[in-house]
Amino acid sequence: MIDTGGQQLRLLSCVLRNSGQGWGLIVDEGHEPTGITGVIQHPTYLELTHDVGAVRVSSMQVTPDEYYAARGIRVGASVGLPWTKLFLYSGTSTTPLNPASLSAASGNLWVTGYVKVPAPATCTTEGN
């Protein structure tokens, strides 16, 4: 957690890939999600789960890697306290793609965000 002048922020980050078997979190010797526990593929969006006890959303950024950027893929995020919905678009279209229609052996989506969480309880002793 990060303390920024009394505000406790929790990092949410991961790398997503669909290499043909559906979207998932990359967990290997070079990648590990932080705070994000899963990805659920829906017909019009991807849902990231991150039940970290958030009370407010601070920020969320999703970036297509060079493979998807070169193909005009854009991502819009709708962020809630226990989840984030990622909507994928091609070019200038305003109709979300079916996430299952995008797959690549090395194409990734990079996710980074912060949510506010309650400050840890402080312990006080009185009368000793």
Side-chain angles (χ1 to χ4, degrees):
M1 271 190 257
I2 299 170
D3 183 351
T4 58
Q7 294 179 343
Q8 297 290 318
L9 298 177
R10 176 75 190 263
L11 173 65
L12 300 175
S13 65
C14 70
V15 184
L16 302 169
R17 180 178 292 159
N18 178 5
S19 55
Q21 302 300 315
W23 286 89
L25 302 170
I26 298 178
V27 180
D28 60 18
E29 64 279 352
H31 305 86
E32 182 177 5
T34 301
I36 296 174
T37 56
V39 58
I40 303 165
Q41 185 173 292
H42 296 276
T44 57
Y45 63 93
L46 297 172
E47 180 179 346
L48 304 179
T49 54
H50 47 78
D51 193 7
V52 295
V55 294
R56 283 203 166 34
V57 175
S58 178
S59 65
M60 183 60 72
Q61 177 178 328
V62 183
T63 306
D65 72 352
E66 73 283 359
Y67 178 87
Y68 284 126
R71 287 152 182 80
I73 300 300
R74 300 177 291 121
V75 184
S78 176
V79 186
L81 300 179
W83 50 258
T84 295
K85 294 179 182 178
L86 304 180
F87 296 88
L88 305 162
Y89 301 91
S90 179
T92 60
S93 175
T94 58
T95 303
L97 296 169
N98 180 339
S101 70
L102 295 175
S103 67
S106 64
N108 302 322
L109 299 177
W110 295 85
V111 178
T112 305
Y114 289 97
V115 291
K116 293 181 182 180
V117 295
T122 58
C123 181
T124 60
T125 58
E126 295 181 25
N128 288 347

